Amino acid sequence: MAECAHVDQIKVGVPENVEGCEECLATGSTWVELRACRVCGHVGCCDSSQGTHATKHYQETGHAIMSSAMPGASWSWCYIDEVSF
């Protein structure tokens, strides 16, 4: 089973009160689900959303670990290792 070699990059938890995707809120767009960067706390929308801002954040910053920011969800994803945990 694949493991994430980047968990040492996790610096912040998932925000408790998430208003929405930062970029979508700024442009008036909508999103499907939200993801939180575990390196800096940026909140972006998932790849099922039109903006795909969580993945774009990874591509722009190299911050490898994101977690679901949806109520009741407790999973994370490493973009580099392509593994969930």
Side-chain angles (χ1 to χ4, degrees):
M1 177 158 54
E3 293 185 22
C4 174
H6 303 90
V7 293
D8 62 332
Q9 293 182 14
I10 295 174
K11 307 276 189 253
V12 297
V14 177
E16 289 187 28
N17 297 316
V18 176
E19 188 175 336
C21 171
E22 296 173 18
E23 290 84 0
C24 289
L25 286 169
T27 62
S29 300
T30 59
W31 56 87
V32 177
E33 291 195 8
L34 300 170
R35 310 291 183 241
C37 175
R38 296 299 300 278
V39 178
C40 71
H42 173 271
V43 175
C45 55
C46 69
D47 286 354
S48 295
S49 302
Q50 185 176 10
T52 66
H53 292 117
T55 295
K56 287 178 181 172
H57 177 74
Y58 160 67
Q59 292 167 340
E60 293 168 3
T61 64
H63 295 170
I65 308 292
M66 67 88 184
S67 297
S68 175
M70 301 305 292
S74 62
W75 59 266
S76 298
W77 173 258
C78 177
Y79 284 100
I80 296 171
D81 294 322
E82 296 185 345
V83 63
S84 62
F85 56 97

